[in-house]
Amino acid sequence: IMEWLERRHGSLWTASYNLELDAWTNPVRLYGGVFNWSKGAVDRIMRWPNGDLGIVAPANAIDQSSVLYVSRRQGIWKAQRVSTATESVAYTSTTLIGDTVVVAFVAGRSEHGMKDVNSVFLTYSENRGKTWSEPHRIIRGADEPTLGLRIRHGSRHGGLHIVWVQILRDGR
């Protein structure tokens, strides 16, 4: 069952409320395919000062693990898969710094015979999703479960802050 949950097909839709007309727009399908919209897997909708929107979600297909990036620029929606070079993305979180989209995500990347399923990674796009950096591993998670994460841009000192929960089997 868990395999089915991680790789389920679905569609992502949008509708907006117009205050002047006191009415909702017709729903528009943004994406159809494999992605994960479970509790905690998706963080929030990003909004730029000009009204453009963006959202990220885990997108795990049988043959590829990636982050789904859906954006609206100048009224046009676009969906793309951002390669993560990892195995099974579980959670995503995002923040904006000007035109830079920063995405933190939990995934695995087994290397040199070492199993890894719960590492925290970071990738970014300096041009609102046109191109993306190679993912950078923040911490290797090994076998211990990592549950959810949040990333925020610190306004006082301009830094990034990532918070996540790491389950410890021995309680320490």
Side-chain angles (χ1 to χ4, degrees):
I1 285 181
M2 288 305 291
E3 196 169 305
W4 176 82
L5 288 174
E6 290 178 3
R7 296 183 178 128
R8 65 181 166 238
H9 284 75
S11 56
L12 184 61
W13 293 77
T14 185
S16 300
Y17 185 76
N18 186 317
L19 291 172
E20 294 174 2
L21 299 176
D22 191 27
W24 284 91
T25 62
N26 289 327
V28 174
R29 183 177 170 174
L30 303 178
Y31 174 80
V34 177
F35 69 99
N36 180 5
W37 196 278
S38 63
K39 182 179 179 182
V42 178
D43 184 18
R44 64 184 176 155
I45 297 173
M46 300 171 286
R47 182 183 177 100
W48 282 272
N50 69 352
D52 289 349
L53 302 172
I55 192 164
V56 296
N60 297 311
I62 292 172
D63 61 341
Q64 177 189 21
S65 179
S66 60
V67 170
L68 174 66
Y69 176 68
V70 181
S71 62
R72 185 187 76 179
R73 292 185 75 174
Q74 301 173 347
I76 298 170
W77 285 96
K78 177 183 173 187
Q80 71 184 77
R81 295 172 70 94
V82 179
S83 176
T84 59
T86 63
E87 306 152 5
S88 194
V89 176
Y91 302 100
T92 59
S93 183
T94 187
T95 192
L96 297 175
I97 305 171
D99 282 341
T100 300
V101 180
V102 183
V103 177
F105 61 95
V106 174
R109 183 188 289 166
S110 299
E111 298 171 318
H112 311 293
M114 294 179 65
K115 182 180 176 187
D116 175 25
V117 293
N118 295 288
S119 291
V120 175
F121 292 87
L122 184 96
T123 187
Y124 62 91
S125 170
E126 295 179 321
N127 49 22
R128 293 192 185 188
K130 291 180 185 174
T131 59
W132 292 87
S133 70
E134 287 294 319
H136 172 75
R137 184 176 3 224
I138 304 297
I139 187 170
R140 183 176 175 77
D143 292 331
E144 305 301 334
T146 301
L147 305 174
L149 81 160
R150 295 293 181 258
I151 185 171
R152 297 295 182 259
H153 175 243
S155 58
R156 289 185 82 187
H157 303 288
L160 289 172
H161 307 280
I162 303 174
V163 178
W164 65 91
V165 174
Q166 188 84 43
I167 302 299
L168 303 175
R169 293 180 194 207
D170 63 3
R172 290 183 262 162

